[in-house]
Amino acid sequence: MSKILIVDDELEICAFLKEFFSERNYDVVTASSGKEAIQLVNRENPHVLLLDIKMPGIDGLEVLKAVKQYHPNLKVIMVTAVETSDKMAEAFKLGADNYITKPLSLEYLERDVKEKIFKLI
Ligand SMILES: [Mg+2]
C-alpha cells in the first residue's frame, strides 16, 4: 500500500486530505508541525510527502531540507497558500518534486500523487 504523509498546521486540512486519500486506499499519516513531520518521515518511511510551506516553528522549507538529506528518494509535493515564486524556487533547489496551491484541486493532487508513486515503482 502506498503511504502518504500529510503535513499542515491547519488540522482541518489534514483531516480532509486524510479522508480523501484513505477512501482511495492510501495509507495516510498526518502531522501538524514541522518537528512532528521530520520524526514521522523517519519512523513511517512514506512514499510521498504533502508538505505545507507556511507553518509556525519549523516551516515546510526547513522540513524539506532536513528530510531530503536522509531520504533523497522521497517524493515531496509542496503545498502553498499563495504562489510565492521565491519560496518555490528555493523549494525546487532543495529537491521538491512539485507544488500545489490552495485552495487544493483534489483531482490534480490525486493525479500527481499517483504519478509520483508510479515513478518509484
Ligand atoms: Mg500553513
Side-chain angles (χ1 to χ4, degrees), residues 5-9 11 14 29-38 40 55:
L5 171 59
I6 294 162
V7 184
D8 203 302
D9 59 311
L11 294 176
C14 286
V29 186
T30 63
S32 58
S33 72
K35 191 181 170 196
E36 196 187 355
I38 293 168
L40 283 178
M55 294 186 287

Side-chain angles (χ1 to χ4, degrees), residues 7-10 13 52-56 79 81 102:
V7 184
D8 203 302
D9 59 311
E10 290 170 70
I13 290 183
D52 184 27
I53 290 191
K54 203 175 168 200
M55 294 186 287
V79 180
K102 291 178 186 173

Side-chain angles (χ1 to χ4, degrees), residues 72-121:
N73 294 326
L74 172 65
K75 297 293 177 194
V76 184
I77 301 170
M78 306 304 290
V79 180
T80 171
V82 278
E83 203 134 359
T84 44
S85 50
D86 53 330
K87 291 247 180 200
M88 281 321 305
E90 198 183 338
F92 282 123
K93 211 161 59 188
L94 291 171
D97 297 279
N98 202 355
Y99 73 96
I100 183 167
T101 50
K102 291 178 186 173
L104 302 172
S105 156
L106 292 178
E107 199 185 320
Y108 174 81
L109 183 59
E110 190 192 6
R111 208 177 329 125
D112 198 43
V113 165
K114 256 189 205 160
E115 187 195 295
K116 297 287 175 287
I117 288 171
F118 182 74
K119 277 187 189 159
L120 287 173
I121 301 167

Side-chain angles (χ1 to χ4, degrees), residues 11-22:
L11 294 176
E12 321 80 83
I13 290 183
C14 286
F16 174 67
L17 289 176
K18 184 181 173 119
E19 191 185 344
F20 178 82
F21 281 105
S22 297

